[in-house]
Structures are given as C-alpha cells and as structure tokens.
Amino acid sequence: MEAVAEGLWGLADEFEKKGEIGKAVKCLEAICQSHASFLPIVEVKTRLRIATLLLRHSHNVNHAKSHLERSQLLLNSIPSCFDLKCRTYSLLSQCYHLVGAIPPQKQILYKALHLTSAAAPDVSAKLWCCNFNSQLANALIIEGDYQNSISTLESGYVSATQICYPELQMFFVASILHVRLLMQWDDQTANEVERALQRCNQVWESMPSDRRAHCMGLLFYNELLHIFYRLRVSDYKNAVKHVDKLDAAMKQDSKSRGQLTRFTTTSTTSARNDSLEPTYFGNAKRALQDKLFLAPPPINGEWLPKSAVYALVDLMVIIFGRPKGNFKECDKRIQSGIHIIKEELIRLGITDDVREVDLQHSAIWMAGVYLMLLMQFLENKVAVELTRSEFLEAQEALVQMKNWFIRFPTILQACESIIEMLRGQCSHSVGCYNEAAFHYVEAAKITESKSMQIMCQAYAAISYFCIGDAESSSQALDLIGPVYRMKDSFVGVREEASILFAYGLLLMKQQDLQEARNRLAKGLQIAHVQMGNLQLVSQYLTILGNLALALHDTGQAREILRSSLTLAKKLGDIPTQIWVLSVLTGLFQQLGEKGNQMENDEYRRKKFDELQSKLADARSSIYHIELIDKVKLQVQQFHEIDMKRTMAGESMRVNLDIPESVGLSTPMPVPSSSRLVDLDTGRRGKRKL
C-alpha cells in the first residue's frame, strides 16, 4: 500500500503544479477514504497535505481543520514523529485563528510548546518553539493580553538566542517593539518603548551587513516601526531619514522583483516542506516574489503582504511630503496607493456590492488592513485638496470615505471620528462655520484618542471665532480655556501648536495683543522647527503679521506678510493668500503707499473672484448638503462577535497615529477684510473682532 500512497502523492503534485487543486485534493482524499488499511503515518502525512492545499488555495478552513484534528488524534498514538506533530499543531493553530476560535488555538499551542520543551534541545526544536511562541503571542494580543504576549515573545527571543539565529532574534525584538509601541503605549510604558527601540537597533546592527541585505521583510518592519515611534513623539525630522531609506529600498526591491520568478515553479513544494507560517503575518496564497519574509522557516511569515507594505511606504511619503507642499509627489503616491489597495480588495472578493456582513471570517483581518489603508489615503487626499482650495475634489474623496464606512462600519469604526472631523474641515472651507463646529465637536465626542479630542476642540474653537458673535466667542472660550491649561501634559507638538493658535486668537479677541504675540510666536516655532508644516507656518505668519501691524511694527509686518504670501502661493492656498493680501492692503494704506495698495488690492480681488468661483462650485455640488448637514453618520452595525473580536486585536496593527490630519483651518475672508482677524490699525484705532 505504500506504493499506492506514493503514486497518489505524486499525482497530486502534478495536478497542483497545473493549478488543478480540486483534482489534487481528490487524489489525496482517496487515501483517507480507502477501505484498504494504510499506516497511520501515511494517513497523517496525507491529511496534512490536504489541509495545506485547502489553506493555500481555498477558503475551506473548516474542511482543513477537520483533517488536522483527525491527524492530531492519530499522532497521539505515535510516540515519535516530532516534526509531523509540530507541523500539524502549527497548521491547526492557523485554522483556529482563521475561524476566530482563540481558546482552542491557545490550547493547541500550549500543547505544542510542551512537546518542544520535552524534546532534545536541538535546532529543530528551538525553531518550532519560535514558531509556536510567535503564534501564541498573536493569540494573546487578540485577547488584549499584551503583557503575556510580550512575555511569550521574550521566550521566543531566548530560543532564537540559544541557537545563535540573529534574524529570529531581530524578529522577536521587533515584535516586542510593535506591541509596546502600537498597542500598549501610555505614560507609564514610555520608557519600555524607548528600551525596546534601542534593543532593535542593537540587534539589527549586530547582524553582518551581508545577512541584513537578505532580510528585506525585517528591514521594512523595523524601519516602519521606527517611523511610527518618531511620529508618536513628534520627532518628524528624524523620521524623514527612515522614510527615505524605506522608499529607496522599495524602489530597489521593485527593480529586482523579477529575479525571483524562476523560483515560482518550486514554491509549492518548498512551502509544503518549510513554510507553515502563522496566518496573521499575511496572505499565504501569494507567490514567493510577492512576500516580504520576516523570519526563516518554519515561520517564514509576513507582517503584511508586500503590496500593503509598499502602500504603507507610499503613505509615509505622503504624510511627510504634504505639509511641505510636495503635492505633485503626493498625488502620484495617492493614486498609486489607492490603485494597489483596490486591486487587493478585489482579490479578497470585495467588489462594489459587498458589505461587511458578506465577508468570510478568514478574510476579515486582511480586508481590515487594506480598508484602513484606503481610508488613510483618502484622508490625505481630502487634506491635499482642501489645502490647495480644490473643494470639489475634497468633497468627492470624503464621500468615498463615508460610503466605505457605511459598508464596513465595524472594521472601520476608528474612522468615524476622522470622517466627522473632515466634514468639519470641508464645512469650514466653504464658510459654513456653524456646521463645521458641530462636526468637530461630534468628532471629539466619538474618538477615544486624547490627541484627536484636543485637535477637534481647537478646530471647533477656530470655527466659533469665525462666526464672530458673542455667543460663539463664549463657546470658543469654553473649549480652549480648559485645554490650554493642560497643554504641558500633551504628548505631541501638533496638539500644542493647534491650541496655541486658537488661544492666540482668544487673546486677540480680549485685546491682549502682546501676550497673543508671545503665544503665537511660540506656536510658529513649533510649526516651523518641529513640524515643518508650511500651511500652518503660513497661517501663523499671517496672524503674526496682522499683530505686528496692530502694534505699529510696520517693518516686521511687511517682512512677515511677504513670507506668508510666498508660502500660501506655493501651497495654492487661496483663502490664506486673500487673508494676507487683505492685511497687506491695510499695511500699505497705513504707510501711504498708494501704488502698492492698488496693485495689491487688484491681485486680491482677482484671487477673491477665483475663490468665489470654486466656492460656488462646491456649494452647488450634489455632495454639499450631505457633508455639511448637522446629522451624524447613520450606519447599520452588524455586531458580529467574531468580527469584533478579530478586529479588536488586529486592527491596531494598522493604527498609524498619523501626526497631522489636515492643516489648521484658514479663516474665510470677506471682501473687505479677514473675517477671523479684522484689526484696523489705522487712525480709527482698534475695532472689535
């Protein structure tokens, strides 16, 4: 009977190479269903093959799980077969993971770790120990047990160290950083995050350069984690070098990608023998050249598929390029990223008519990765278009975000507050300040992020200032006062910059001009030196120029306002240009420079007419009322327990904590002067805001 089994195995191999997976499975199932008696080990190997095929080429997880559970029972009666037992446990753990059965997954992994601890402490046993620890750590993360997850990863690191395997050591220390940075970071754990970061640097630098060159998956993983850390601590300047390094690596990898094509014909056999990776690392149904491996066999897994990592790199380039006004490059990256993501969503079966409730459980995690990335690309598109006064394009991108959220409300739950905030930005941009304030306040209520709450309160206060009446000014004060008093406890500089801007406006409203100047100067320094956000710098300069004029410092006012106008022109920020031009008109009038005043005012009227045309288009669009309406998003929550459990742990893997969603709202000008700051510094003295 051994010869019969060998023949059917060989035939299954041939069918698999031809892509005829159904026939391959039937060949193998013939052994399991035969009335003839095969040795238990033959049946185990066969069922293991079937399960591997089903997991790699289909969504039939339950069928695969049944074969593996039967294999496990057969192996219980066999005292040896260490490698077969480990392979079975590993694949069975993946099946439990895919169906959301975390308790049985943990149980099988504890059993597997007991097996490895009782085995001879050779390289094979330690490698399998690393595999099981990595899967167990992920299961614990899904349950929110981060501390035990870190302990489990530490155990994996010990095993990797015992066999002197630096690639695996790097894998585990990077995973520990991942948990501490993206899932566990708070004021109490900041020091642990810093130590985890330094540990990654030490292990990475200790690896010989020739070995590092072959660890592209670890390179991307490590560098992205460093970027996320720099974003969290608002160290944007040092983050840029990591972004540049990743971008260069991505381009180089894209050039050399075709060189791996020759391996695709053998990838099936090698995957069966070596690559039983934990499913959470990515989609196992990908060609070898489409993977960024994090670790050697028997892990061989990914953090994310290569396409998702490439999209993340594009997103990082956008995040750091947009505040500097590099819109051409941002446009290219946004278009590329959205194209990649939509292709991957189609591969996952997510077409136009598919909603959250239609997803198979095994597709939820990967769908969540791509959907969250898509929302972040669209968010940045809204920001770019608003900055350069392309309101219609911003509306269209925001409506896309809204529609995706309505279709996938549980997976994209974290995006609800972002959408509300962007509705506020769009409303403010077209002069609907009451509606803008409403959406900002709603966004602050929805989010659990303290940073997001602070930003939205600052935005809402600015919108209230733009309304201009006493009640609105009082509402702005109610928002800004409490937040300003706690500004020293902020983690990031973007929150401080936003609050200083709004608080400076409040002081101007109270006619405390010198103190306003001091606060705004500090905010300008943050925006310029630490954030590098040109739009925010331009807005700070404009208001500081206005203040200089109010304090009769005409020389400084002229210099500041010219710098602000240059930046606003570079960004295509028409409202800020008009704001600056309005203040410059007052300056030239005060100095008696009639020629400059007339030339400046003519250009201001030209830009004002251009803006009015864009505003008219935006206000007449089919999306205008839908977006500004003071009504929260209405969605049907499906409350699927399995989905919520899956996303609870996994969605945090793509929580990028983007440092600055859009530049601070510019005030909408009126024909005669700035609506937000209308300080007449002529002989009539100071007018009321």
Side-chain angles (χ1 to χ4, degrees):
M1 298 303 294
E2 291 285 339
V4 174
E6 291 282 355
L8 287 170
W9 287 345
L11 190 58
D13 280 342
E14 291 300 317
F15 282 129
E16 185 182 2
K17 288 176 183 177
K18 295 176 183 178
E20 299 179 63
I21 307 304
K23 292 180 180 179
V25 171
K26 285 182 179 179
C27 286
L28 297 169
E29 286 188 333
I31 297 174
C32 303
Q33 296 166 359
S34 173
H35 296 295
S37 178
F38 286 94
L39 292 173
I41 196 168
V42 171
E43 185 176 346
V44 167
K45 288 180 178 180
T46 303
R47 291 185 183 276
L48 196 59
R49 265 305 302 284
I50 294 171
T52 303
L53 283 172
L54 292 172
L55 289 174
R56 184 172 294 116
H57 299 288
S58 79
H59 291 285
N60 203 341
V61 180
N62 285 316
H63 194 183
K65 181 167 70 72
S66 297
H67 280 289
L68 292 166
E69 287 172 337
R70 175 61 181 164
S71 294
Q72 184 195 2
L73 290 174
L74 291 169
L75 286 168
N76 285 340
S77 61
I78 304 175
S80 55
C81 299
F82 173 79
D83 192 61
L84 273 181
K85 287 179 179 179
C86 288
R87 293 177 185 277
T88 301
Y89 291 150
S90 182
L91 277 181
L92 187 53
S93 167
Q94 292 180 53
C95 289
Y96 287 137
H97 172 87
L98 286 170
V99 299
I102 303 304
Q105 182 190 14
K106 288 167 58 181
Q107 184 179 11
I108 200 71
L109 288 171
Y110 285 129
K111 186 174 182 179
L113 285 168
H114 177 74
L115 174 67
T116 58
S117 66
D122 57 15
V123 172
S124 176
K126 295 300 180 183
L127 286 173
W128 280 114
C129 185
C130 290
N131 176 301
F132 299 135
N133 274 310
S134 70
Q135 294 198 64
L136 179 58
N138 187 65
L140 292 166
I141 287 169
I142 291 173
E143 293 187 330
D145 189 353
Y146 304 131
Q147 197 55 51
N148 279 324
S149 172
I150 290 172
S151 298
T152 302
L153 291 169
E154 290 285 4
S155 297
Y157 175 77
V158 170
S159 296
T161 303
Q162 289 171 342
I163 56 176
C164 301
Y165 217 137
E167 291 89 345
L168 275 175
Q169 290 175 282
M170 185 62 201
F171 163 74
F172 282 108
V173 294
S175 297
I176 291 168
L177 174 60
H178 187 156
V179 178
R180 291 203 181 278
L181 176 60
L182 300 184
M183 302 175 189
Q184 202 192 27
W185 192 347
D186 54 34
D187 292 340
Q188 286 72 42
T189 60
N191 290 334
E192 283 82 356
V193 175
E194 179 65 31
R195 282 195 290 269
L197 190 81
Q198 294 304 322
R199 194 178 182 192
C200 279
N201 291 336
Q202 291 166 3
V203 175
W204 183 251
E205 292 300 324
S206 70
M207 292 173 60
S209 58
D210 58 328
R211 295 183 72 161
R212 288 203 303 264
H214 295 289
C215 299
M216 290 299 295
L218 280 174
L219 170 68
F220 278 89
Y221 190 32
N222 185 43
E223 291 296 323
L224 280 166
L225 289 174
H226 275 68
I227 292 169
F228 299 159
Y229 172 78
R230 296 298 169 193
L231 293 179
R232 291 292 290 268
V233 298
S234 303
D235 185 1
Y236 305 122
K237 287 191 174 180
N238 281 318
V240 170
K241 64 183 180 183
H242 294 285
V243 175
D244 292 341
K245 185 176 181 179
L246 274 184
D247 196 35
M250 181 178 74
K251 291 173 180 175
Q252 180 60 38
D253 185 58
S254 296
K255 288 180 181 178
S256 59
R257 191 173 179 182
Q259 297 175 6
L260 291 175
T261 305
R262 64 182 183 274
F263 294 114
T264 56
T265 55
T266 59
S267 62
T268 299
T269 304
S270 64
R272 182 175 75 248
N273 293 334
D274 300 315
S275 306
L276 302 181
E277 70 263 25
T279 306
Y280 78 93
F281 288 128
N283 188 344
K285 304 167 201 156
R286 294 176 184 270
L288 182 64
Q289 66 267 29
D290 291 328
K291 287 177 175 281
L292 283 171
F293 291 118
L294 282 180
I299 295 180
N300 258 14
E302 301 174 293
W303 170 42
L304 294 172
K306 182 179 283 190
S307 59
V309 173
Y310 277 12
L312 260 178
V313 175
D314 279 336
L315 188 61
M316 294 300 105
V317 173
I318 294 164
I319 288 171
F320 287 94
R322 178 172 58 78
K324 294 179 172 60
N326 300 332
F327 295 148
K328 186 176 180 180
E329 183 67 18
C330 289
D331 285 339
K332 185 176 75 173
R333 302 290 182 135
I334 289 171
Q335 185 178 3
S336 168
I338 291 177
H339 176 73
I340 290 171
I341 291 166
K342 288 188 174 179
E343 280 192 339
E344 293 295 337
L345 290 174
I346 291 172
R347 288 181 63 176
L348 290 168
I350 299 177
T351 52
D352 291 342
D353 57 341
V354 172
R355 301 172 72 87
E356 190 171 81
V357 72
D358 303 317
L359 291 178
Q360 297 190 39
H361 191 284
S362 58
I364 292 172
W365 151 230
M366 196 50 61
V369 169
Y370 286 112
L371 287 169
M372 287 294 292
L373 283 170
L374 177 60
M375 295 294 269
Q376 285 157 352
F377 275 102
L378 289 171
E379 175 189 350
N380 276 274
K381 181 169 178 58
V382 174
V384 168
E385 303 301 356
L386 286 180
T387 300
R388 59 189 179 189
S389 308
E390 298 295 347
F391 307 123
L392 273 177
E393 286 76 5
Q395 288 178 340
E396 290 171 2
L398 182 51
V399 167
Q400 287 186 56
M401 291 182 71
K402 180 172 174 279
N403 292 339
W404 281 108
F405 174 73
I406 290 170
R407 288 170 59 193
F408 300 92
T410 309
I411 291 175
L412 298 177
Q413 188 173 7
C415 297
E416 184 177 8
S417 60
I418 298 290
I419 294 171
E420 282 297 320
M421 183 198 71
L422 293 175
R423 290 177 75 186
Q425 294 283 358
C426 283
S427 300
H428 190 106
S429 296
V430 295
C432 300
Y433 305 122
N434 268 306
E435 291 83 356
F438 170 84
H439 292 300
Y440 289 140
V441 171
E442 286 301 314
K445 290 178 183 176
I446 294 168
T447 185
E448 295 179 359
S449 164
K450 193 67 178 175
S451 172
M452 181 75 168
Q453 290 170 2
I454 292 168
M455 297 294 291
C456 288
Q457 286 174 302
Y459 292 152
I462 293 169
S463 292
Y464 280 130
F465 278 129
C466 287
I467 296 171
D469 57 36
E471 182 183 355
S472 299
S473 297
S474 176
Q475 288 173 302
L477 176 60
D478 291 341
L479 284 170
I480 290 300
V483 176
Y484 180 77
R485 287 191 289 273
M486 57 179 286
K487 66 180 177 62
D488 292 336
S489 65
F490 297 161
V491 174
V493 292
R494 63 172 181 151
E495 298 93 338
E496 187 173 4
S498 304
I499 293 301
L500 285 169
F501 191 92
Y503 192 67
L505 298 180
L506 173 63
L507 291 170
M508 291 175 68
K509 172 72 175 176
Q510 297 170 342
Q511 300 298 310
D512 191 351
L513 301 187
Q514 190 57 54
E515 186 61 24
R517 194 181 198 181
N518 294 338
R519 295 287 182 269
L520 291 167
K522 182 178 180 182
L524 172 62
Q525 184 180 24
I526 292 171
H528 174 59
V529 177
Q530 294 177 262
M531 297 177 66
N533 185 324
L534 296 189
Q535 185 183 27
L536 191 51
V537 168
S538 176
Q539 292 169 346
Y540 262 113
L541 287 173
T542 305
I543 199 168
L544 281 166
N546 205 344
L547 268 172
L549 192 57
L551 295 167
H552 306 290
D553 189 348
T554 55
Q556 187 180 56
R558 185 195 297 265
E559 184 180 342
I560 290 174
L561 291 169
R562 282 179 173 171
S563 297
S564 178
L565 185 59
T566 299
L567 291 176
K569 285 180 177 179
K570 175 179 179 177
L571 296 169
D573 184 353
I574 300 175
T576 299
Q577 288 182 52
I578 296 172
W579 184 17
V580 178
L581 292 166
S582 299
V583 181
L584 278 171
T585 296
L587 171 65
F588 295 139
Q589 184 180 12
Q590 181 175 332
L591 295 174
E593 299 180 7
K594 194 69 176 177
N596 284 338
Q597 179 184 343
M598 292 177 63
E599 182 182 350
N600 184 79
D601 211 42
E602 182 181 351
Y603 183 65
R604 184 192 63 78
R605 283 194 298 270
K606 177 184 174 183
K607 300 309 293 185
F608 180 79
D609 291 342
E610 181 183 349
L611 179 62
Q612 290 306 307
S613 175
K614 289 177 179 289
L615 288 174
D617 290 341
R619 289 167 180 160
S620 62
S621 81
I622 58 174
Y623 304 126
H624 176 65
I625 300 300
E626 173 187 348
L627 292 176
I628 72 165
D629 197 16
K630 296 202 297 190
V631 176
K632 288 178 60 179
L633 294 175
Q634 300 296 319
V635 297
Q636 179 183 356
Q637 294 284 356
F638 297 105
H639 294 298
E640 290 193 350
I641 294 174
D642 287 345
M643 179 175 294
K644 295 189 80 172
R645 177 168 54 196
T646 299
M647 298 313 299
E650 304 288 13
S651 63
M652 285 183 283
R653 297 178 181 280
V654 288
N655 176 12
L656 303 181
D657 191 30
I658 290 179
E660 174 260 334
S661 292
V662 327
L664 278 174
S665 309
T666 53
M668 289 300 303
V670 295
S672 61
S673 63
S674 166
R675 179 78 176 274
L676 181 60
V677 181
D678 187 12
L679 292 176
D680 187 341
T681 56
R683 286 171 294 180
R684 289 170 294 172
K686 301 171 186 173
R687 281 197 304 172
K688 185 169 80 171
L689 276 169

